[in-house]
Amino acid sequence: MQLSIVILNYNVRYFLEQCLLSVQEAIAAMDAEIIVVDNNSSDESVLMMKEKFPSIKLIENKDNFGFPKGNNIGVRQAKGKYVCILNPDTVVAEDTFVKILAFAERQNNLGIIGCKLIDGTGEFLPESKRGIPTPWVAFTKVFGLYKIFPKTKLFNRYYAQHLNENETGKAAILVGAFMFLEKEVYEELNGFDENCFMYADDIDLSYRALQIGKTNCYFHETTVLHYKGESTVKDEKYMMRFQEAMNFFYQKHFKKSQFFSAFIQIGSFLFSVAKKFQGKPKENPLPESYFLCSENENFAKKLAPILENKVAFLDFKEEKMVNSCLILKGKKTEIILDNHYISFKKCIEIIETLKDKQVTFKIFPKNTGFIIGSNSRNDRGQIVKIE
């Protein structure tokens, strides 16, 4: 078997359904499998899996074991030469795995591959590629020096800014939302460190791959949509766990003096506080207008009373539709992409192409009864049931 995709789910039932639909499309021509590990969700995720995806392997944990252990459980049952750790709040393009598999097969001494990630508004997620967060690099992140001096090597290593987002190359640290590697390498590394509940696990796994002489890569030729804010509510518990995670990584890999330890404590605290306040959701006013990109004009009429607003219909003809949507930029508008007629890859391309602070996006995944999306990377997404 070529590939095993391992998806660890916890209480993101609708995002999981959309993710699985996109993954199924992406592996249709491959010898691949999907393994879903559920960490004791309470939101009918398991029921949805059994009703809608009975052929997909489902592992039901009786407790929330956290990110590292949950993924390790899934990988142990994987049969593929390669494994992909994938978040449930993602959407992959139909050719994502074909492209990355071909790239992986051309590499020597491969560690982990990450790819270009964008959020639900189309903005690039800088954590798609990162440098090793040494004490100095962490300092530049905590105090925002990487923003002030983005082209200066001394300050720009946290987000590997030497590498353009549209450039494939070596990147020390990849993000756990999408990690592609050989199963043998995963096993050689003993998987994620289960002493870390979440947040530093991807940094730790990436760093350990480098320590055994492997090369980690950022691959820009496929873009994956990662809603990001959906899996975690950034509250006080989040801040505590994030600080614990950073402390875990530094104590494991950078054992230094008491001065160093004190700096890390202060830095981790400031970093976690910054993440907490960054994550405070903002009030998002309702769109002034809605546009449905589809070939089904009747669906636009059906949406209008649900959204309590008129829904304009844009007949889906690729060039015509994109040009029409460009006119909408700058207006408080929501664009709904009908996946029955528009591929997941095209949905991702449209979201990335039309990104604008005044434009939000939703996808109507094929064969579902909801539209779904996210207006901010820092808060939970939005689901509108239409059946």
Side-chain angles (χ1 to χ4, degrees):
M1 183 175 285
Q2 293 173 299
L3 174 63
S4 299
I5 297 104
V6 177
I7 302 171
L8 177 67
N9 177 70
Y10 181 65
N11 286 336
V12 286
R13 173 251 184 272
Y14 292 100
F15 285 88
L16 174 63
E17 182 175 349
Q18 179 177 233
C19 176
L20 290 172
L21 290 169
S22 73
V23 172
Q24 283 185 325
E25 295 283 340
I27 64 171
M30 300 175 65
D31 183 14
E33 66 176 350
I34 305 170
I35 300 171
V36 174
V37 182
D38 186 80
N39 257 351
N40 198 29
S41 295
S42 58
D43 69 345
E44 297 188 346
S45 291
V46 169
L47 179 62
M48 181 276 294
M49 285 290 305
K50 291 178 178 178
E51 289 182 349
K52 300 199 171 189
F53 303 96
S55 63
I56 291 179
K57 185 173 185 60
L58 173 65
I59 301 171
E60 298 179 59
N61 290 337
K62 299 307 178 186
D63 200 355
N64 182 1
F65 292 135
F67 186 88
K69 186 174 181 178
N71 277 296
N72 289 345
I73 289 170
V75 174
R76 277 198 290 271
Q77 297 201 29
K79 299 175 183 176
K81 175 185 176 183
Y82 292 93
V83 294
C84 181
I85 305 299
L86 184 69
N87 264 33
D89 55 346
T90 57
V91 179
V92 301
E94 284 77 2
D95 59 359
T96 288
F97 296 118
V98 172
K99 284 186 172 182
I100 288 196
L101 182 63
F103 175 76
E105 293 282 87
R106 299 194 299 268
Q107 306 309 304
N108 295 315
N109 205 33
L110 179 66
I112 304 170
I113 302 174
C115 72
K116 183 178 182 181
L117 301 173
I118 61 171
D119 67 15
T121 69
E123 291 292 336
F124 174 68
L125 290 173
E127 62 267 27
S128 301
K129 53 179 180 63
R130 289 172 287 178
I132 301 169
T134 61
W136 169 251
V137 172
F139 179 86
T140 65
K141 164 63 178 175
V142 170
F143 293 99
L145 299 177
Y146 73 98
K147 293 181 181 178
I148 302 171
F149 307 102
K151 296 183 180 180
T152 304
K153 186 176 180 180
L154 184 63
F155 302 107
N156 70 1
R157 285 178 283 172
Y158 188 86
Y159 286 126
Q161 288 164 279
H162 68 283
L163 193 64
N164 187 277
E165 67 183 73
N166 294 316
E167 178 185 5
T168 293
K170 295 180 182 178
I173 308 297
L174 289 317
V175 65
F178 188 105
M179 302 182 96
F180 188 102
L181 68 163
E182 288 191 47
K183 187 184 179 186
E184 282 188 2
V185 174
Y186 192 97
E187 291 173 338
E188 185 178 354
L189 295 169
N190 294 316
F192 289 105
D193 189 331
E194 295 180 14
N195 291 311
C196 180
F197 188 81
M198 60 194 311
Y199 301 131
D201 33 58
D202 50 1
I203 300 174
D204 175 64
L205 188 72
S206 299
Y207 187 67
R208 286 189 284 120
L210 299 178
Q211 286 181 314
I212 64 171
K214 300 295 182 181
T215 300
N216 297 337
C217 297
Y218 166 75
F219 181 71
H220 85 282
E221 293 180 35
T222 187
T223 301
V224 169
L225 183 60
H226 180 209
Y227 293 107
K228 188 178 176 180
E230 180 58 24
S231 293
T232 305
V233 178
K234 294 176 175 61
D235 54 12
E236 287 76 8
K237 185 181 288 187
Y238 168 88
M239 190 179 92
M240 179 185 70
R241 284 183 174 166
F242 188 85
Q243 183 178 350
E244 288 173 351
M246 295 304 292
N247 288 336
F248 160 81
F249 178 74
Y250 287 121
Q251 289 173 14
K252 180 175 179 179
H253 296 291
F254 296 95
K255 294 180 180 178
K256 298 289 181 181
S257 65
Q258 289 184 342
F259 174 80
F260 173 85
S261 299
F263 168 77
I264 292 306
Q265 289 288 339
I266 295 170
S268 295
F269 176 74
L270 291 174
F271 196 8
S272 59
V273 168
K275 293 288 288 186
K276 180 178 185 294
F277 282 98
Q278 176 190 8
K280 282 185 177 294
K282 297 179 180 178
E283 290 294 327
N284 288 312
L286 292 174
E288 297 171 10
S289 55
Y290 292 86
F291 287 82
L292 171 68
C293 300
S294 177
E295 289 183 10
N296 183 358
E297 190 167 1
N298 289 330
F299 184 54
K301 297 174 182 176
K302 181 178 179 179
L303 278 175
I306 296 171
L307 298 174
E308 298 180 349
N309 203 325
K310 182 180 178 181
V311 179
F313 176 69
L314 289 175
D315 193 359
F316 177 63
K317 302 290 185 289
E318 292 187 13
E319 294 301 323
K320 178 182 176 183
M321 189 205 69
V322 172
N323 290 337
S324 298
C325 290
L326 282 170
I327 299 172
L328 307 176
K329 293 189 70 171
K331 302 175 183 178
K332 192 63 183 175
T333 301
E334 181 149 292
I335 298 174
I336 301 167
L337 303 167
D338 187 349
N339 177 232
H340 294 81
Y341 305 98
I342 307 172
S343 69
F344 283 114
K345 180 178 181 179
K346 196 66 184 177
C347 288
I348 294 168
E349 288 178 357
I350 291 169
I351 291 170
E352 187 173 13
T353 301
L354 301 179
K355 61 185 176 187
D356 186 283
K357 290 182 179 179
Q358 296 299 311
V359 180
T360 56
F361 302 91
K362 298 292 180 292
I363 296 176
F364 175 32
K366 64 177 65 176
N367 303 320
T368 68
F370 57 87
I371 58 175
I372 190 168
S374 176
N375 300 341
S376 169
R377 69 182 64 178
N378 294 319
D379 60 3
R380 286 197 177 280
Q382 296 80 41
I383 297 118
V384 178
K385 296 180 183 179
I386 56 178
E387 289 183 358

